[in-house]
Amino acid sequence: MSYQVKEVKTKPYDGQKPGTSGLRKRVKVFQQEHYTENFVQSIFDAVDLKGKTLVVGGDGRFYSPETVQTILKIGSANGVAKFIIGKDGILSTPAASNIIRKYNADGGILLTASHNPGGPNADFGIKYNISNGGPAPENVTNKIYDKSKAISSYKLIELPPPDLSRKGFFTYGPSNVEIIDSVSDYLQLLESIFDFSLIKEFLQSHADSFKVLFDGMNGVTGPYGHAIFVETLGLPESSVQNATPLPDFGGGHPDPNLTYAHELVERVERDGIHFGAASDGDGDRNMIYGKGAFVTPSDSVAIIADWAADAVPYFKKGGIKGLARSMPTSAQIDKVAQKKGIPYYVTPTGWKFFGNLMDAGRLSICGEESFGTGSDHIREKDGVWAIVAWLNILAYANKQSPNQVIGIKELLQKHYNVYGRSFFSRYDYEEVSAVGAQSLVDAINVHISTGSLASTAHVSKSTGQKYTVADVSNFDYTDPIDGSVSRNQGQIITFDDGSRVVFRLSGTGSQGATVRMYVERYVPPEAGPEELGKDTQEGLKGLIEVALQISNLPEFLGRDKPTVIT
C-alpha cells in the first residue's frame, strides 16, 4: 500500500494538561481545528513509540470513531510498528489494561471521559497508559503537556480510513494493525481469577431466591456483562439491561451511584431483585445494590478484602500481599488489614499510586470511594471484576450456609458485627464557581496554618451531638516505592472521637469546578445491631451539619444542596 506522510503546520492550544485520568474537555473543544491532532502528536513527541506496539480503544462515546482514525493516521506517521485495536474502537478501560499487559504492548491510548456524560454537547477524553497497563505517571503527563505548549506541526499518513468493524489483520502505511474482539481476552482473564463454576452452581440452584440484574448504563460494559452473565453463567436475557454501548449513553449520566443509576435501583426495589450491579461509561467503576441494601464503595472493598483469600481462587493461590485505599475512602479496609495482620497503605486519589505498590509486589486489593475497586490483575480499577468478586463471595458464603440464603444485607451485617461500621457519605458539588471553590480551600488552609479550629467544639442543632476538632491538616504523601512526594491532596478535619471530614477539589470534570466533601464516623461492633444498622444519612446527620457549619461551604459555593449524594 503506497502512502505519503504529510506534515501539517499548527499552533499550540492553551490548557492541554492531562489530569489524573487524561485530558477531558467538552466535545466541541476537541472538535476545534487541529485540537485533537495537537494532543495526539504531543503524546508521540513525549513518548517514543517508534517501532513499538500501541493499544487503542475506548468507551464508544461521541467523537470516538473519528479520533481512533486520527490516532492511526498520526501514530503510523510517527513510526508505530503495530496497533492493537478493539473491534469498532471499543475497549473498556480494564480490558485495555489487560490487553497492554497480556500482549506486552508498549502503551495504549484510551478514548474516554469515564463516568462523565457523552454526546455532541457533552464530554470527551484522551488518556495515555504506559506499558504496565496503568495510567501515565505525572512525569509522563507533564512531558505531554510541555510538548503541547511548544507544538508547531503534526505528521499524518494520507490514506483512506480503514474498516474497524471486522476482526483481523491488515497493514496501514508502515504499520501493522490487528482488530481484536473487545470482550474475549477480558472474559478469559476473569475466568482465571474467579470460581465461575461455583457462581453458576449457586445461581442456578437459587434461580427463584436469588435474582441478578446487571446495568451497563449504555456504556462500554454492556457486551462484557452479556458475555459473563448470560452466555457464561446462563442467566436469562432479562438479567442485563442497558447493555448496548451508545455514543450519548442513551442520554443518561453513566455514573453508577444512587442518583444516576436510579433505573437499576427502582427495578431492584420493584421486582425484589437480590443482587443488582451497575458499571460506568468506560467500565472502571461499579455499584452493588440489592433490595434494601446499598453497599458503599468503602464497605465493598473491605468485604472483598475480608473474604478474598478464602473465596477467590486467584487470592487462594497467590495470597494477599497488601491492601490500600485512597485517603478520602473510609478506614473500613484498615480494620480488615489490622485484624488479619496484612500491610495496608493510604494513598492520594489516583490509580497510579496503587500501580506503583502493585508493581513492587506490595499490593493485592485496593479501592477508592468513587466507586472504583480493583486488584493487581491489571493496573486500572475494574468495575466488572468487583461485581463478579461479590458474586463469587456470595456463592462461597452460601455454600458455608446451606440452610439460610446469604444476600447482600446479611453479608454487610456479618461484616459490621466483626469490624464495626464506618458510616460514610460523599457530597458532590458539580460545576460550581471556580472562584468560590478556591475560596473554600483557601479558608480551610487558613485554619490549617493558624490552628484556629483546634479544640473548638461544635454542636449539631438537630441531633445535639457534640464534635470537638482534634486536628486540621493537608494530606501529603511520600510514595514508598519511588520516593516522589504529592502535596495538598485533600484537607482533613479530624474530631476527637475519630470522625473526620475531607474536602477535595476534583480534577475529573470538564467544566467549572467540582468540590467533594467526604464525611466519616466510625461505630464499633459493640454498639449493637440497631446502631450499626442505621441508615447512612441518619448515622451521619449531626456530623454533616457540623461540617457544613465549620466550612461555610454553602456560602462559598452558593449551593444549599449537593448535586449528588453517595
Side-chain angles (χ1 to χ4, degrees), residues 456-504:
T456 57
H458 306 267
V459 179
S460 162
K461 290 180 181 178
S462 67
T463 69
Q465 293 169 305
K466 179 181 175 182
Y467 292 94
T468 301
V469 176
D471 186 46
V472 187
S473 62
N474 261 311
F475 179 64
D476 296 336
Y477 177 74
T478 301
D479 193 298
I481 308 306
D482 62 20
S484 61
V485 178
S486 301
R487 300 197 185 280
N488 303 318
Q489 296 296 305
Q491 298 163 305
I492 310 168
I493 301 175
T494 307
F495 299 91
D496 61 1
D497 68 343
S499 299
R500 65 173 190 152
V501 180
V502 176
F503 297 90
R504 276 188 70 245

Side-chain angles (χ1 to χ4, degrees), residues 412-538:
L412 285 170
Q413 196 59 55
K414 278 176 175 282
H415 185 80
Y416 298 153
N417 289 344
V418 174
Y419 295 102
R421 180 181 179 186
S422 292
F423 283 88
F424 180 87
S425 187
R426 186 181 93 190
Y427 279 35
D428 289 4
Y429 297 83
E430 297 177 350
E431 296 191 358
V432 299
S433 158
V435 174
Q438 190 59 52
S439 297
L440 170 67
V441 169
D442 293 343
I444 298 173
N445 278 335
V446 170
H447 289 307
I448 293 170
S449 61
T450 63
S452 54
L453 279 178
S455 301
T456 57
H458 306 267
V459 179
S460 162
K461 290 180 181 178
S462 67
T463 69
Q465 293 169 305
K466 179 181 175 182
Y467 292 94
T468 301
V469 176
D471 186 46
V472 187
S473 62
N474 261 311
F475 179 64
D476 296 336
Y477 177 74
T478 301
D479 193 298
I481 308 306
D482 62 20
S484 61
V485 178
S486 301
R487 300 197 185 280
N488 303 318
Q489 296 296 305
Q491 298 163 305
I492 310 168
I493 301 175
T494 307
F495 299 91
D496 61 1
D497 68 343
S499 299
R500 65 173 190 152
V501 180
V502 176
F503 297 90
R504 276 188 70 245
L505 279 176
S506 172
T508 59
S510 67
Q511 188 164 298
T514 295
V515 173
R516 305 196 198 281
M517 181 179 79
Y518 313 82
V519 187
E520 178 181 2
R521 172 176 166 256
Y522 177 69
V523 175
E526 53 269 23
E530 186 177 347
E531 187 67 26
L532 291 168
K534 279 186 176 179
D535 175 76
T536 298
Q537 294 304 312
E538 182 187 358

Side-chain angles (χ1 to χ4, degrees), residues 117-131:
N121 297 309
D123 294 351
F124 189 71
I126 303 177
K127 171 182 173 182
Y128 182 71
N129 279 28
I130 58 175
S131 59

Side-chain angles (χ1 to χ4, degrees), residues 38 69 135 142 210 223-224 226 254 269 300 302 313 335 378 475 489 519 529:
N38 277 18
Q69 299 289 350
N142 284 343
F210 196 91
Y224 296 84
H226 191 274
E269 294 294 344
S300 181
K335 308 293 183 188
I378 56 172
F475 179 64
Q489 296 296 305
V519 187

Side-chain angles (χ1 to χ4, degrees), residues 214-415:
F214 172 76
D215 191 335
M217 301 188 79
N218 291 125
V220 75
T221 59
Y224 296 84
H226 191 274
I228 293 165
F229 300 110
V230 178
E231 297 168 29
T232 305
L233 294 175
L235 294 176
E237 291 283 346
S238 59
S239 64
V240 296
Q241 67 180 25
N242 299 318
T244 302
L246 298 174
D248 65 348
F249 307 112
H253 191 145
D255 192 355
N257 57 47
L258 294 174
T259 299
Y260 296 126
H262 59 87
E263 190 177 338
L264 172 80
V265 172
E266 290 160 7
R267 187 173 160 198
V268 164
E269 294 294 344
R270 183 184 69 240
D271 298 346
I273 291 169
H274 305 84
F275 184 88
S279 190
D280 71 327
D282 70 325
D284 65 355
R285 300 183 184 212
N286 75 97
M287 181 179 78
I288 307 296
Y289 186 91
K291 183 172 174 60
F294 166 62
V295 185
T296 71
S298 299
D299 284 350
S300 181
V301 69
I303 287 171
I304 291 172
D306 188 25
W307 287 81
D310 294 323
V312 179
Y314 180 85
F315 299 108
K316 281 185 187 177
K317 182 180 178 181
I320 297 178
K321 308 177 190 81
L323 303 173
R325 63 174 171 93
S326 63
M327 181 275 291
T329 304
S330 93
Q332 195 72 22
I333 195 173
D334 301 9
K335 308 293 183 188
V336 175
Q338 290 159 4
K339 190 173 184 66
K340 292 180 177 291
I342 300 171
Y344 66 98
Y345 306 88
V346 180
T347 75
T349 297
W351 212 257
K352 60 190 176 185
F353 298 104
F354 295 144
N356 270 6
L357 292 163
M358 290 174 183
D359 286 345
R362 295 198 194 180
L363 177 60
S364 296
I365 297 170
C366 53
E368 296 181 336
E369 48 65 41
S370 54
F371 294 85
T373 319
S375 85
D376 60 353
H377 67 293
I378 56 172
R379 294 298 181 268
E380 289 276 9
K381 48 186 175 257
D382 190 344
V384 175
W385 173 93
I387 292 164
V388 179
W390 263 85
L391 284 174
N392 194 157
I393 289 165
L394 285 165
Y396 178 85
N398 277 278
K399 192 173 184 180
Q400 313 305 308
S401 176
N403 299 320
Q404 178 198 3
V405 175
I406 304 295
I408 292 173
K409 189 179 289 186
E410 290 78 17
L411 206 65
L412 285 170
Q413 196 59 55
K414 278 176 175 282
H415 185 80

